[in-house]
Amino acid sequence: MNDPKAIEARLQTLQDLEDIKTLRHRYSYGANIIDGKSGDLKAFAALFAADGIFDVGMGVAKGPSELRK
């Protein structure tokens, strides 16, 4: 395991996994709805690309600004 490219690839994989976990936590926190109160919708909307479409069957929002509404 002395191959620098192999070590770099493994480190990148670990970083990617941590980034995905962080994104999932941020998504869950922002979307959290407890007792009819929403989570942090501004933070939730910021997770989406400007041209991203959010569609969960209750309407469609395109981009963070529509999602915040």
Side-chain angles (χ1 to χ4, degrees):
M1 189 66 180
N2 293 329
D3 178 18
K5 288 191 180 207
I7 293 170
E8 186 175 333
R10 289 189 71 187
L11 285 173
Q12 185 62 56
T13 298
L14 291 171
Q15 183 62 56
D16 292 345
L17 290 170
E18 285 302 312
D19 290 346
I20 291 167
K21 288 177 189 177
T22 298
L23 178 61
R24 288 182 65 194
H25 286 115
R26 290 175 60 198
Y27 182 97
S28 297
Y29 173 77
N32 191 25
I33 299 174
I34 299 173
D35 295 329
K37 296 180 183 177
S38 342
D40 186 344
L41 294 181
K42 187 174 181 180
F44 181 72
L47 298 174
F48 292 84
D51 62 348
I53 296 176
F54 183 75
D55 180 0
V56 292
M58 302 181 314
V60 176
K62 183 176 180 184
S65 62
E66 283 187 22
L67 190 55
R68 278 191 300 271
K69 294 176 187 174

